[in-house]
């Protein structure tokens, strides 16, 4: 396939989700949505100059006053994800501005604690169950650690290890900067990681972030079954951490985001080093020649 054919194929694939059908003289034709969006002001300003960024996506000044009802329906249908988030913005603006703040004399409100209230009562009244789950969770943390180190020491792929180093360093900085109070109903265990009921940072969850880092690496290597296993165990781990009051919900949610973020940063770090090595090698060859 030559370059022109490849470019045409790529354009067709990219434009497929952005086409809608219209009827002209009784026949159905596909309308290029880039042109339609330019008319609406979604990707352009109705015929004015456009700024072109990577991927050939056009951005310009939106012109909402030119929208018709058909345009609104079209945007809601083909750009429904931003519409959902726009509705979420309005909803949580209402919630935020009408919510009664938690007084300083009360413990923090945590929706995850509310959902796992029955589980928490079971763990509190059944120490053996709490110890068993804590031991299993510690084994899972060991699995994460072994896999991440294995990818570097045995397979020679340092990305997951670099990601974990980035993540735990940032976690330490944030955890020390804002030291959240331990939940009053915390149910500890001597076999939980870190073993021995030692102090630990609440924000954010290194348990969850480490599992996400390992899972993302497994997906890159197409180890799908192992990745799904880690994701399942990570969900169970999160439920247990909420049930024991070992983490707030926000710690777990940010842990997921942190795993994704630092995996991406580690990938960018590797790419930058490869580019530097390539440039350095090219310069050396030029000097030698």
């Amino acid at each position: 396939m030559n370059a022109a054919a490849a470019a045409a194929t790529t354009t067709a694939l990219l434009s497929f989700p952005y086409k809608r059908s219209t009827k002209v003289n009784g026949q159905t034709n596909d309308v290029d949505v880039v042109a339609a969006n330019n008319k609406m002001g979604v990707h352009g300003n109705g015929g004015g100059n456009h700024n072109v960024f990577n991927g050939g996506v056009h951005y310009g000044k939106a012109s909402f006053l030119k929208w018709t009802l058909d345009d609104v329906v079209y945007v809601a249908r083909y750009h429904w994800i931003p519409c959902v988030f726009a509705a979420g913005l309005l909803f949580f603006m209402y919630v935020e501005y009408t919510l009664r703040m938690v007084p300083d004399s009360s413990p923090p409100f945590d929706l995850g604690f509310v959902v796992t209230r029955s589980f928490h009562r079971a763990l509190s009244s059944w120490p053996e169950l709490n110890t068993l789950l804590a031991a299993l969770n510690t084994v899972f943390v060991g699995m994460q650690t072994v896999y991440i180190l294995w990818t570097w020491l045995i397979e020679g792929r340092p990305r997951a290890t670099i990601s974990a180093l980035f993540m735990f360093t940032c976690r330490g900085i944030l955890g020390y900067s804002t030291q959240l109070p331990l939940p009053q109903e915390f149910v500890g265990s001597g076999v939980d990681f870190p073993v021995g009921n030692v102090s630990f940072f609440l924000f954010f969850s290194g348990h969850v972030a480490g599992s996400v880092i390992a899972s993302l690496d497994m997906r890159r290597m197409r180890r799908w079954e192992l990745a799904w296993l880690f994701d399942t165990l990570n969900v169970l781990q999160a439920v247990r951490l909420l049930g024991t009051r070992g983490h707030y919900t926000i710690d777990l949610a940010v842990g997921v985001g942190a795993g994704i973020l630092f995996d991406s940063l580690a990938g960018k770090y590797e790419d930058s080093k490869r580019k530097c090595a390539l440039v350095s090698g090219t310069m050396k060859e030029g000097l030698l020649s």
Side-chain angles (χ1 to χ4, degrees):
M1 181 181 293
N2 57 35
T9 302
T10 303
T11 303
L13 290 173
L14 291 176
S15 63
F16 175 75
Y18 303 99
K19 291 189 175 183
R20 57 175 172 175
S21 297
T22 58
K23 288 189 175 181
V24 179
N25 297 327
Q27 296 182 349
T28 302
N29 297 310
D30 284 334
V31 177
D32 190 339
V33 171
V34 172
N37 283 343
N38 287 342
K39 179 181 179 181
M40 294 190 299
V42 175
H43 295 297
N45 57 9
N49 295 327
H50 303 298
N51 297 321
V52 181
F53 294 88
N54 290 336
V57 179
H58 296 261
Y59 294 93
K61 184 177 180 181
S63 190
F64 298 105
L65 295 178
K66 297 180 180 179
W67 282 24
T68 64
L69 180 59
D70 180 64
D71 295 330
V72 173
V73 172
Y74 168 75
V75 170
R77 180 179 178 184
Y78 288 94
H79 301 282
W80 61 271
I81 293 179
C83 292
V84 169
F85 281 102
L89 167 65
L90 297 176
F91 173 74
F92 284 109
M93 283 178 62
Y94 170 79
V95 171
E96 180 179 5
Y97 298 148
T98 58
L99 188 68
R100 292 185 59 185
M101 301 290 287
V102 177
D104 55 6
S105 59
S106 300
F109 171 79
D110 192 290
L111 185 60
F113 290 2
V114 175
V115 174
T116 58
R117 186 177 296 157
S118 299
F119 185 40
H120 172 73
R121 285 197 295 265
L123 294 175
S124 300
S125 60
W126 195 354
E128 294 79 10
L129 175 62
N130 180 50
T131 300
L132 174 62
L133 295 181
L136 293 175
N137 206 156
T138 299
V139 171
F140 180 48
V141 174
M143 292 167 58
Q144 301 173 27
T145 305
V146 169
Y147 179 84
I148 290 173
L149 291 177
W150 179 279
T151 61
W152 172 42
L153 298 175
I154 305 301
E155 298 181 354
R157 298 184 298 106
R159 176 168 173 171
T161 304
I162 294 172
S163 177
L165 293 175
F166 286 177
M167 182 271 291
F168 279 109
T169 300
C170 182
R171 177 177 179 269
I173 295 172
L174 295 178
Y176 184 81
S177 300
T178 302
Q179 300 178 35
L180 299 174
L182 188 67
Q184 297 177 359
E185 300 177 328
F186 173 65
V187 180
S189 172
V191 298
D192 201 358
F193 182 86
V195 178
N197 283 322
V198 298
S199 60
F200 59 92
F201 293 131
L202 285 168
F203 187 84
F204 47 87
S205 174
H207 290 70
V208 171
S211 179
V212 170
I213 290 172
S215 175
L216 290 173
D217 184 86
M218 293 167 185
R219 282 176 163 74
R220 274 193 299 274
M221 301 305 295
R222 300 183 180 277
R223 296 165 177 165
W224 307 113
E225 294 81 4
L226 196 56
W228 280 112
L229 173 63
F230 264 56
D231 289 342
T232 302
L233 293 176
N234 202 12
V235 171
L236 296 176
Q237 170 181 247
V239 173
R240 176 192 164 265
L241 290 171
L242 289 174
T244 61
R245 307 303 189 243
H247 273 295
Y248 295 103
T249 302
I250 192 173
D251 305 330
L252 307 176
V254 173
V256 174
I260 297 171
L261 170 64
F262 289 110
D263 176 78
S264 174
L265 292 178
K268 293 181 183 298
Y269 173 81
E270 284 190 328
D271 291 341
S272 67
K273 290 302 178 182
R274 292 192 189 98
K275 291 178 181 178
C276 289
L278 181 61
V279 171
S280 177
T282 303
M283 292 179 62
K284 287 182 180 179
E285 290 179 0
L287 292 174
L288 293 175
S289 61

